[in-house]
Structures are given as C-alpha cells and as structure tokens.
Amino acid sequence: KMANSSAPWIGCAYLFLQSTCKTIVLPSLYESSQKKPSVFKALKLALADSTGSMNGVDMLKVHCSQPHLIVQLKFCKQENCRRFLQSYREGALQESLQNHLQLSLAISAVPLEMELKAGSEHLDSMLKDEDRCLECIYREKPDRLRDEEITKLEECLKNLIVHQSINNNMAVKDCASLNSPSQPGPSQGNSLSPQVTFTFQGQVFANRTLTPDDHQKFAKLVSKKWKQVGRSLQKNCRALRDPVIDNLALEYDREGLYEQAYQMLLRFRESEGQKATIARLIAALEENGLISLAEELLGLHSNED
C-alpha cells in the first residue's frame, strides 16, 4: 500500500513547460516583474481546472531553466493527484494552461509542450498506468516549504478574487498587475464577463469553459429538469428563449430526455462560446435544487473505483 490509513497522502512532481513559439519564452516572462503575476495566475487557474479546486494541488516553487519553466507540485490527497493525472493525460491541462496564458498575457496563442517527472522517473511514458504514476509521485516527498515568492503571489491573487467577488463586474483596481491591460475581444462588450472563481457549498472553485465531458454528464443526469435549467440559463442567453426550449422538447421527443438535455446545453455552448462556463451552469443547477448533479460536475463525489 502507498500509505497508511492514518498518515496523509503526500507526493511531489515536477511539471516542465516550454513554449513551441520562438517569440514566447516562458522563463523570461516569469522573470519579468511585470509579467510574472500574469503567468502565475494562469498556472494557478489551470492547475485548479485540473483538480476541480483551487486547493487541489500546491505550487512550491517555479524554477526558470531555459527553455523550460519548471513548476514543483505538491499533492496532499490521492484523489486530487488522480484528477490531475487524468487531466494531464487527456490534454485538458495543456489546453487549459494555453487558454489561461493567452488571456492573462493578452496574446494570440501560447502553444506548449509539457513533461511530467517525479524524481528520476519520466511519467509521460507510463501515463496509462495511473497507479504506477501515483506510486512514483508518492515516493517523492517535498524537499522544501512553499517559496516566499509563491506565497506573495498567492496572496495577491486571493486579494484580486475577493475584490472581484465584492465588485462583480466593476473594474478591479487593487492588485491590477494580475490583470492583463487588455483582454481579447470575446469577453468585451458583454456584461457577463467570466469570473475567475466561484463559490459552491462554501468552497472556492476555478471557473472554466464547459467541456464535452461536462456536457455528457449533464445530459445523462439532469433528467426531466433540463427545461428548468434551460430557463435559468436563458436569463443571460438569448439562444434559450422559451420557444427554443419548447421546440427542442418537441423536436427530440422520440430520442428521449438525454438528447433533449444535450441539445439544450449545445445551444447554450454554441451561443455563448467561452462564456459558457461551469459557474453559470452550477448556478442554474443550484437554482433548481440539483445539488448532487452540481457536485458530480465539480468532481466532489468520491470515485469508488
């Protein structure tokens, strides 16, 4: 067994990041006092996406070693490490980090190559054997406390989140260096700018765009309440006005509830694009008492397998 039942499960790994674009050098960006908060913010949010929680994985230190940016990661729960490995294996972490870097740095695209190591073990070659990866990560205990610089960046990001939750859509002036001076076009001109995080059941989660996996889980589990959820979403989505929802019910009546729910959320995702976020869907589920489904989408149900 990897751990005694009484001892906490703690492991460590190193995430190696390199941009494949010659004009984007991640170590140089991180060493820049102006860009560092933006790069850190993107790292933090992408890691939160991978585990479903802002506290799922801890960054101990970020090393700059040309051409790599190397992030030392600490995991305190095996289930969080499993979620991270799954996200890494499926390419979701890479896609999330590319998107967050693009938004934080206000540039067109950040193509990335990633590599994961635990001690001398290269985990990329054994990703299909999740238990073996977990064993390697568990064997590597953190050799340091969190770097003071990381602690300062964490505090700055927390302050930003607090100010955003207080001010909602008002401009945030405190900790302004964490916000890129200009966001790409899609989030402008819409009163519903995606927030960085949201709270559910007293716990803070990173916001993100809905994934195909979210879409399928929702359609599978929402059952007869898909119409109510659609009407909750329609408050900020013109594509889901009442006639549309009623027409979907008629058009896909023979296919059943799964297809009706799937098509409703498809309209939402196609219409809203990157603004079709998990936070908006969770809020709609809460409004209709679908707490268990919300927990499922956020990965709060323990995996018995």
Side-chain angles (χ1 to χ4, degrees):
K1 292 182 179 179
M2 284 185 286
N4 297 325
S5 57
S6 59
W9 195 97
I10 294 176
C12 191
Y14 287 88
L15 182 63
F16 287 71
L17 304 169
Q18 179 182 356
S19 170
T20 56
C21 176
K22 291 182 180 180
T23 59
I24 301 172
V25 184
L26 291 178
S28 299
L29 288 172
Y30 193 78
E31 287 174 333
S32 159
S33 59
Q34 288 184 322
K35 298 293 185 182
K36 180 178 294 196
S38 297
V39 176
F40 177 81
K41 176 185 174 185
L43 286 169
K44 184 71 178 174
L45 295 180
L47 290 169
D49 284 349
S50 74
T51 60
S53 167
M54 289 294 279
N55 304 312
V57 56
D58 196 13
M59 277 189 281
L60 297 182
K61 185 172 177 63
V62 178
H63 306 264
C64 295
S65 178
Q66 297 285 0
H68 292 103
L69 198 65
I70 308 169
V71 187
Q72 186 177 7
L73 304 173
K74 175 186 174 184
F75 300 91
C76 290
K77 288 185 179 179
Q78 189 180 139
E79 57 263 36
N80 287 336
C81 195
R82 282 192 186 277
R83 289 190 193 119
F84 170 85
L85 286 170
Q86 182 181 359
S87 176
Y88 182 86
R89 183 175 65 244
E90 294 174 353
L93 174 63
Q94 181 174 352
E95 182 181 351
S96 175
L97 182 53
Q98 287 175 164
N99 290 338
H100 284 303
L101 283 169
Q102 182 180 342
L103 287 169
S104 292
L105 296 169
I107 51 183
S108 57
V110 188
L112 290 176
E113 283 184 354
M114 307 177 86
E115 189 178 358
L116 189 63
K117 295 181 183 179
S120 60
E121 298 286 355
H122 292 249
L123 301 186
D124 295 75
S125 62
M126 59 177 87
L127 288 173
K128 291 183 180 178
D129 190 346
E130 191 174 276
D131 287 334
R132 188 180 168 198
C133 289
L134 285 166
E135 182 70 48
C136 293
I137 292 172
Y138 176 71
R139 279 203 305 264
E140 293 299 315
K141 300 303 180 196
D143 59 358
R144 63 163 64 245
L145 297 173
R146 187 163 61 179
D147 197 76
E148 285 185 11
E149 181 180 64
I150 298 289
T151 302
K152 290 178 182 176
L153 288 164
E154 289 263 15
E155 286 303 314
C156 201
L157 185 58
K158 283 179 185 175
N159 289 339
L160 174 68
I161 290 167
V162 169
H163 285 294
Q164 282 182 328
S165 65
I166 292 171
N167 295 312
N168 277 336
N169 293 327
M170 292 171 63
V172 179
K173 295 181 180 178
D174 296 345
C175 247
S177 60
L178 277 171
N179 271 337
S180 52
S182 61
Q183 296 286 353
S187 65
Q188 292 181 339
N190 188 318
S191 61
L192 195 75
S193 298
Q195 70 260 46
V196 176
T197 65
F198 65 99
T199 304
F200 173 75
Q201 304 286 291
Q203 192 172 345
V204 177
F205 293 89
N207 198 11
R208 56 177 172 76
T209 304
L210 290 170
T211 66
D213 186 49
D214 297 327
H215 197 154
Q216 290 175 358
K217 280 184 182 177
F218 169 82
K220 182 180 178 183
L221 299 172
V222 69
S223 191
K224 295 179 180 179
K225 284 200 171 182
W226 70 267
K227 277 189 175 183
Q228 288 99 306
V229 176
R231 291 191 175 105
S232 293
L233 290 172
Q234 79 180 189
K235 295 170 187 174
N236 296 301
C237 178
R238 294 180 180 177
L240 289 179
R241 288 176 174 168
D242 276 333
V244 174
I245 293 174
D246 292 336
N247 288 340
L248 287 173
L250 291 171
E251 188 177 348
Y252 295 96
D253 181 51
R254 288 188 179 182
E255 285 84 351
L257 292 172
Y258 174 93
E259 192 61 29
Q260 290 170 334
Y262 187 92
Q263 292 296 329
M264 183 277 289
L265 199 61
L266 182 63
R267 298 293 192 283
F268 177 67
R269 291 181 68 195
E270 288 179 341
S271 166
E272 298 297 292
Q274 288 191 338
K275 292 186 283 292
T277 62
I278 189 73
R280 292 174 70 183
L281 181 56
I282 294 299
L285 293 174
E286 272 195 290
E287 191 174 306
N288 292 284
L290 294 167
I291 303 302
S292 182
L293 175 50
E295 290 174 344
E296 185 71 37
L297 289 174
L298 293 173
L300 295 178
H301 288 169
S302 60
N303 188 345
E304 298 299 330
D305 299 330

